[in-house]
Amino acid sequence: VYQLQEAEERLNLINHLKYKYGPNIDSILNHQHHLLEQLNDMENSQFEIGKLEKEIKDIEKILLNLALELSEQRKLIAKNLEQDILSELVDLNMKNCDFAINFGYNEVQEGLKIEEKIVELTQNGIDKIEFFISTNTGEKLKPLNEIVSGGEISRIMLGLKSVLSKMEQIPTMIFDEIDSGVGARLGEAIAQKLEKIASENQVITVTHLPQIAVKATQHLYISKFSSEEKTKINIKKLFNDEQLYEIARMIDGEKYGSISIEHARKMLNKNGDKTNGKQKK
């Protein structure tokens, strides 16, 4: 009786399995084989996941070491850069300046863990770098972007570019109204600095100061005019007396006279008669 009951239960189970997985024993066995393969894949997946997690941690450790090493190298260079920039600013009559390069991190939700912080890692490393400056004795250092004086910004940017041009070997540098907010005396200091940069780099400068313009080896006059209800720009290359008269106009306005022309001539002669891109001997 017991064996009969056991056989009936087994037949019921087989029929149930046929109902779910196929019409015969082979289809049931095929399904079993498929399930075993899936189970094996899952077990292998867990192993692969563990392996990949370990690789990720190893790579993160390498990245962290490289990022910290890069940061330390930057900090060493930053000390020299601070002194170089301060030296440039002294030349530009900013003798009471204090300049510092500040290092920090961008904190994020996912990244590298440093000093109990999760920080952003980019192709440039982990550093968030800001330039801080104090332009007067006793003033607190503050971010460069909070400097409001146009003249100070002009000199600071010129000082920065002077230093960076030596490091980055920039072939051409463009200064758009670097003389903004400065007078004639400071304009002369800026002009000398631009001339020094131009000895090793091509310099293109938009200026309204004659002290800067007379340093150029080539003058281009830029003007605006309206045509067909549109504003257009005209650029004219100046030669010989055209240069002289334009410097005179920059000195004394549209109604310049013989005195202004003579002053302009002296300024040009002082800096060498520079025409057609070549300095005359």
Side-chain angles (χ1 to χ4, degrees):
V1 176
Y2 176 76
Q3 290 179 338
L4 178 62
Q5 184 179 358
E6 187 179 72
E8 288 178 347
E9 289 176 354
R10 185 172 179 80
L11 285 172
N12 289 334
L13 176 60
I14 290 172
N15 290 329
H16 177 71
L17 292 173
K18 285 181 179 180
Y19 177 77
K20 290 186 66 175
Y21 303 117
N24 51 51
I25 299 297
D26 286 339
S27 60
I28 296 172
L29 293 174
N30 286 335
H31 186 72
Q32 179 194 34
H33 179 70
H34 179 65
L35 291 176
L36 289 172
E37 285 182 339
Q38 285 186 321
L39 179 61
N40 186 54
D41 288 343
M42 291 176 63
E43 290 174 348
N44 289 335
S45 296
Q46 291 299 320
F47 174 77
E48 288 297 324
I49 289 171
K51 182 180 177 181
L52 291 173
E53 286 176 345
K54 184 179 183 303
E55 287 182 11
I56 289 171
K57 288 181 180 179
D58 290 342
I59 291 171
E60 285 182 344
K61 187 176 180 180
I62 293 171
L63 287 173
L64 178 58
N65 289 334
L66 290 172
L68 291 173
E69 182 180 347
L70 176 60
S71 183
E72 288 302 313
Q73 291 296 321
R74 280 187 175 138
K75 288 172 183 176
L76 290 174
I77 294 171
K79 294 298 180 184
N80 293 329
L81 183 59
E82 287 173 351
Q83 296 306 312
D84 289 343
I85 291 172
L86 282 172
S87 178
E88 293 288 336
L89 294 178
V90 168
D91 292 344
L92 292 168
N93 200 28
M94 296 183 72
K95 300 177 181 178
N96 299 318
C97 273
D98 192 11
F99 182 86
I101 300 174
N102 185 58
F103 285 76
Y105 306 124
N106 281 322
E107 293 191 44
V108 292
Q109 295 295 320
E110 294 184 4
L112 294 180
K113 188 175 182 180
I114 301 175
E115 299 173 354
E116 302 304 319
K117 297 178 181 178
I118 306 298
V119 304
E120 183 181 21
L121 172 69
T122 70
Q123 62 181 358
N124 296 317
I126 54 174
D127 296 309
K128 176 185 177 183
I129 299 174
E130 284 188 284
F131 289 167
F132 279 69
I133 193 165
S134 167
T135 55
N136 296 297
T137 302
E139 284 188 356
K140 184 180 178 182
L141 284 162
K142 53 188 176 181
L144 183 59
N145 59 8
E146 294 183 13
I147 300 296
V148 294
S149 167
E152 288 177 345
I153 290 175
S154 297
R155 284 179 283 172
I156 292 165
M157 293 308 299
L158 180 55
L160 285 170
K161 288 191 175 184
S162 297
V163 174
L164 296 177
S165 67
K166 301 171 187 175
M167 298 179 177
E168 298 181 1
Q169 299 296 311
I170 302 171
T172 301
M173 302 184 72
I174 300 174
F175 297 91
D176 185 7
E177 298 188 2
I178 196 70
D179 53 17
S180 176
V182 304
R185 181 181 299 178
L186 184 53
E188 179 65 29
I190 292 175
Q192 291 174 0
K193 187 64 64 178
L194 287 169
E195 188 175 37
K196 183 179 178 182
I197 297 173
S199 65
E200 297 182 0
N201 308 82
Q202 182 186 39
V203 174
I204 300 172
T205 304
V206 179
T207 182
H208 297 286
L209 278 183
Q211 288 84 358
I212 293 177
V214 294
K215 299 287 186 181
T217 56
Q218 179 61 68
H219 290 141
L220 301 173
Y221 179 72
I222 303 172
S223 60
K224 290 182 181 180
F225 66 96
S226 297
S227 175
E228 300 175 356
E229 298 183 351
K230 292 183 180 180
T231 300
K232 298 183 179 180
I233 295 176
N234 182 61
I235 300 177
K236 180 183 179 183
K237 193 174 183 179
L238 302 182
F239 297 95
N240 302 319
D241 286 348
E242 291 176 323
Q243 289 179 307
L244 178 65
Y245 297 148
E246 182 56 30
I247 296 298
R249 189 186 70 82
M250 295 175 78
I251 293 171
D252 217 15
E254 294 293 343
K255 296 182 180 180
Y256 64 86
S258 58
I259 295 176
S260 301
I261 293 173
E262 186 60 29
H263 187 187
R265 193 187 309 278
K266 288 180 179 179
M267 292 180 71
L268 285 167
N269 289 338
K270 178 182 176 182
N271 290 280
D273 186 5
K274 302 172 181 179
T275 310
N276 299 332
K278 296 181 180 179
Q279 183 171 332
K280 290 184 177 180
K281 301 295 184 183

